[in-house]
């Protein structure tokens, strides 16, 4: 069943266009604009170019999804297979199935929303031309990662995103951006070197780099020792990008320093590349090696869940001077732990849960970083103690729509039933209850219990954040003078005649009603509404995603057999 009937040749063109168009758009962004397109403001013209290119890619991705045969999501569709380097049997092999299609659409959507947001709120930094070009190169590399079906092309696409993200952090980031960018690039490059060795080992030992052929063979052409070495090498590179505890330490620094759109793309898209590699390459190609390391992967995953939650609780407590962006970054460590736990079960239930959690995390955490960026723009800081001070953020009263949306994203992140965050966590825990044959059931049930405890910790820190940022602290502040309020509120003193002020001759204490903040702007609503809407749709109608992923996962785990 397809929503619209599209010929195979058009489907091929659409997928190739989705991968190549951002790269061509990046080159065009760096060229001098034609006189008729410069307009009065060349900077706005290039930002408009970014919105146009990412919008065209999103439209192509939606049409591709509409033309996708939903009755056969396990079959590779829109495939292109062209010989590129005959001596090494490297081919330009593209295709999508039910596993990669949701990630492809998510990437196109998030990049378009980031381009739209940047058109109105460009982060401070060098030339907008370079900014737009870097975002488009990053989009092309990410889309290629989810579309290519050759191991060496996968590696090239995987590495293609590192340089643009490095420069986005280093040139458009905030405090400590240089150190954070260097930490990001060093960690990921070192992991990638090890990963390349593992990919070469698989390709040389099996005689092909074609991911479809390798998945169909299901590791039968590789000895157990080769599979173990390959999983160790490739897994390390993927774990850094995921990021898995204890290889996560680059992530909080990168998120804290990155501009808002950089954090959205890093959390919503780049982290998914690592977990996608586990599902697309290691599970079907080296099942024996994965079975050897699955208990360790699950153990690291649940440690990451608890560690990330405890770090968030420490940042959220009063007096910790915790940064809200850093807290959301640590929450990503915990959420990606659920994804890794689902993959480690090696069961259809667990892997489907991991893929669902991937998409849910991209939607919810992308929305959270957008919101935190907006709060930081309004206050000039993301420090929780400042935001929740005596004259605190109290967003419900000062910017009610912004406060309500922050609360919505927080409860979605903690896994409230009916929203997208619930299903992925639930399915991964169900998968851990009954792992694949050959894995220790008592050990995985222990991991399941620890992961379930992590969901309680997640609820605790998210509710603390909502209480402090949206409601303000409970410290008495009704008798503060205007001068005291001005010293504690980044927005400055309350203007004369503001709500809550009294004439000088009136009796009784002066009440301290905080000045209003700008609520959600129209361009912010345009960028955030799709994420909030899809969070609700995925939570109420999980079959939209699971109907795509489940047949593909079943076939992948069965070695290419339906």
């Amino acid at each position: 069943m397809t929503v619209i009937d599209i010929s195979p040749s058009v489907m091929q063109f659409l997928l190739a266009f989705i991968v190549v168009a951002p790269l061509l758009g990046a080159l065009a962004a760096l060229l001098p604009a034609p006189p008729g397109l410069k307009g009065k403001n060349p900077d706005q013209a290039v930002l408009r170019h970014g919105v146009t290119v990412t919008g065209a890619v999103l439209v192509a991705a939606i049409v591709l999804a509409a033309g996708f045969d939903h009755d056969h999501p396990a079959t590779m569709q829109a495939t292109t297979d062209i010989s590129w380097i005959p001596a090494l049997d490297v081919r330009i092999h593209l295709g999508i199935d039910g596993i990669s299609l949701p990630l492809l659409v998510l990437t196109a959507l998030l990049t378009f929303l980031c381009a739209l947001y940047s058109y109105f709120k460009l982060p401070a930094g060098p030339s907008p031309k370079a900014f737009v070009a870097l975002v488009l190169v990053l989009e092309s590399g990410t889309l290629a990662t989810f579309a290519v079906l050759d191991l060496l092309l996968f590696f090239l696409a995987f590495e293609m995103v590192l340089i643009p993200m490095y420069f986005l952090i280093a040139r458009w980031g905030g405090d400590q951006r240089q150190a954070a960018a260097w930490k990001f690039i060093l960690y990921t490059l070192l992991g990638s070197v090890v990963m390349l060795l593992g990919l070469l080992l698989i390709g040389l030992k099996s005689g092909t780099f074609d991911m479809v052929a390798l998945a169909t063979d299901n590791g039968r052409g590789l000895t157990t020792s080769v599979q173990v070495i390959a999983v160790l090498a490739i897994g390390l590179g993927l774990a850094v990008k995921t990021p898995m505890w204890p290889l996560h330490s680059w992530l909080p620094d990168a998120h804290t320093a990155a501009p808002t759109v950089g954090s959205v793309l890093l959390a919503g898209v780049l982290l998914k590349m690592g977990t996608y590699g586990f599902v697309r390459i290691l599970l079907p190609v080296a099942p024996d090696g994965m079975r050897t390391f699955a208990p360790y992967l699950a153990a690291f995953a649940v440690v990451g869940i608890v560690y990330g939650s405890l770090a968030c609780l420490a940042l959220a407590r009063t007096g910790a001077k915790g940064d809200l962006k850093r807290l959301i970054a640590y929450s990503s460590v915990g959420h990606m732990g659920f994804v890794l736990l689902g993959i480690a079960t090696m069961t259809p239930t667990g892997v489907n849960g991991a893929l669902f959690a991937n998409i849910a995390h991209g939607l919810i955490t992308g929305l959270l970083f957008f919101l935190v960026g907006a709060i930081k723009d309004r206050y000039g800081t993301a420090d929780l103690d400042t935001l929740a001070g005596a004259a605190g953020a109290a967003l419900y009263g000062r910017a009610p729509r912004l406060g309500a949306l922050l609360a919505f994203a927080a409860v979605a992140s903690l896994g409230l039933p009916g929203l997208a965050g619930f299903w992925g966590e639930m399915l991964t825990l169900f998968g851990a209850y009954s792992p694949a044959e050959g894995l220790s059931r008592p050990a995985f049930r222990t991991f399941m219990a620890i992961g379930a405890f992590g969901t309680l910790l997640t609820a605790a820190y998210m509710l603390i954040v909502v209480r402090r940022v949206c409601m303000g602290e409970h410290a008495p502040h009704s008798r503060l003078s205007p001068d005291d309020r001005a010293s504690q509120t980044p927005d400055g003193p309350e203007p004369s005649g503001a709500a809550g002020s009294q004439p000088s001759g009136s009796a009784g204490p002066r009440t301290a009603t905080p000045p209003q903040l700008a609520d959600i702007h129209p361009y912010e609503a345009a960028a955030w509404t799709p994420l909030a809407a899809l969070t609700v749709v995925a939570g109420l109608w999980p079959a939209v995603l699971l109907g795509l992923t489940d047949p593909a996962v079943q076939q992948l785990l069965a070695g290419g057999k339906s």
Side-chain angles (χ1 to χ4, degrees):
M1 179 194 72
T2 61
V3 177
I4 55 176
D5 190 19
I6 302 178
S7 68
S9 59
V10 175
M11 291 284 284
Q12 288 177 343
F13 171 78
L14 284 172
L15 184 57
F17 174 83
I18 288 168
V19 173
V20 175
L23 202 56
L24 298 177
L27 294 173
L30 295 175
L31 297 174
L37 297 179
K38 283 185 178 180
K40 295 181 180 179
N41 189 336
D43 289 347
Q44 288 298 103
V46 75
L47 292 171
R48 189 163 54 248
H49 169 78
V51 175
T52 302
V53 174
T54 55
V57 171
L58 175 60
V59 169
I62 293 172
V63 173
L64 185 72
F68 187 83
D69 185 355
H70 292 259
D71 288 335
H72 301 91
T75 303
M76 283 295 171
Q77 301 179 34
T79 54
T80 299
D81 193 0
I82 303 170
S83 179
W84 184 35
I85 307 176
L88 297 176
D89 194 27
V90 178
R91 309 181 69 80
I92 298 177
H93 193 180
L94 305 176
I96 53 167
D97 63 357
I99 293 172
S100 54
L101 180 63
L103 291 166
L104 202 77
V105 176
L106 175 67
T107 301
L109 173 65
L110 283 176
T111 313
F112 169 71
L113 296 181
C114 286
L116 180 65
Y117 186 85
S118 299
Y119 179 79
F120 295 95
K121 191 71 178 178
L122 182 68
S127 163
K129 278 191 170 188
F131 178 84
V132 170
L134 289 170
V135 169
L136 291 174
V137 171
L138 190 148
E139 180 183 29
S140 180
T142 311
L143 291 168
T145 301
F146 299 137
V148 298
L149 297 173
D150 183 275
L151 290 180
L152 292 185
L153 278 184
F154 174 86
F155 176 78
L156 293 176
F158 197 87
E159 297 304 289
M160 185 176 167
V161 305
L162 301 185
I163 300 304
M165 182 53 71
Y166 167 81
F167 281 109
L168 285 175
I169 297 172
R171 303 303 298 276
W172 285 269
D175 296 336
Q176 305 296 320
R177 58 182 182 268
Q178 293 290 345
W182 273 110
K183 198 171 187 179
F184 163 77
I185 200 74
L186 288 175
Y187 264 77
T188 49
L189 278 179
L190 288 173
S192 297
V193 169
V194 181
M195 184 176 75
L196 176 60
L197 297 176
L199 294 174
L200 290 174
L201 177 65
I202 287 178
L204 295 175
K205 289 293 184 180
S206 62
T208 181
F209 289 99
D210 186 87
M211 291 158 67
V212 175
L214 288 167
T216 304
D217 190 57
N218 202 222
R220 286 182 285 270
L222 301 172
T223 64
T224 301
S225 59
V226 169
Q227 290 190 37
V228 168
I229 295 171
V231 169
L232 179 61
I234 299 172
L236 280 173
L238 297 174
V240 171
K241 185 67 72 72
T242 298
M244 180 186 77
W245 181 91
L247 304 173
H248 69 283
S249 61
W250 62 269
L251 183 70
D253 292 340
H255 270 308
T256 305
T260 297
V261 294
S263 292
V264 171
L265 292 174
L266 183 58
V269 176
L270 265 67
L271 302 190
K272 312 302 174 282
M273 295 164 62
T275 51
Y276 175 77
F278 276 104
V279 175
R280 176 64 73 196
I281 298 173
L282 294 186
L283 278 177
V285 175
D288 294 338
M290 273 297 293
R291 199 169 287 108
T292 300
F293 284 105
Y296 305 103
L297 180 63
F300 284 127
V302 296
V303 170
I305 293 171
V306 175
Y307 170 83
S309 300
L310 292 176
C312 290
L313 281 171
L315 290 169
R317 65 184 174 85
T318 304
K321 306 298 289 183
D323 187 283
L324 190 51
K325 284 189 75 177
R326 195 173 190 86
L327 185 147
I328 302 302
Y330 272 111
S331 78
S332 291
V333 176
H335 286 113
M336 297 312 288
F338 280 102
V339 178
L340 291 173
L341 176 61
I343 293 169
T345 67
M346 300 184 69
T347 62
T349 301
V351 176
N352 276 306
L355 293 171
F356 199 103
N358 249 350
I359 300 298
H361 179 265
L363 296 172
I364 298 167
T365 308
L367 178 59
L368 278 170
F369 275 117
F370 268 134
L371 293 168
V372 174
I375 292 171
K376 188 173 182 178
D377 288 337
R378 285 158 172 77
Y379 280 91
T381 181
D383 178 75
L384 267 171
D385 287 337
T386 303
L387 294 177
L395 285 179
Y396 288 154
R398 303 185 67 187
R401 294 182 183 86
L402 185 60
L405 195 54
L406 179 64
F408 167 82
V411 297
S413 182
L414 63 83
L416 184 73
L419 298 176
F422 171 73
W423 295 105
E425 294 181 2
M426 185 193 72
L427 289 171
T428 57
L429 295 177
F430 279 173
Y433 182 81
S434 183
E437 186 178 350
L439 299 178
S440 171
R441 191 166 281 193
F444 271 83
R445 288 184 177 177
T446 303
F447 299 145
M448 180 197 73
I450 297 172
F453 176 65
T455 63
L456 299 179
L457 296 178
T458 303
Y461 70 74
M462 278 299 178
L463 292 176
I464 289 172
V465 167
V466 170
R467 189 203 71 196
R468 296 190 70 198
V469 177
C470 293
M471 301 178 185
E473 296 287 23
H474 293 297
H477 58 276
S478 61
R479 295 179 183 269
L480 289 176
S481 69
D483 292 339
D484 292 333
R485 292 201 305 275
S487 67
Q488 298 185 42
T489 308
D491 285 356
E494 183 179 342
S496 62
S501 63
Q502 294 180 343
S504 58
S506 62
R510 292 176 61 89
T511 58
T513 302
Q516 293 294 308
L517 288 177
D519 213 331
I520 297 177
H521 298 296
Y523 72 89
E524 292 173 331
W528 304 343
T529 301
L531 300 179
L534 288 172
T535 298
V536 175
V537 170
L540 296 178
W541 195 13
V544 172
L545 278 177
L546 295 176
L548 283 172
T549 61
D550 184 52
V553 168
Q554 297 273 5
Q555 180 167 301
L556 209 64
L557 294 177
K561 303 184 183 72
S562 302

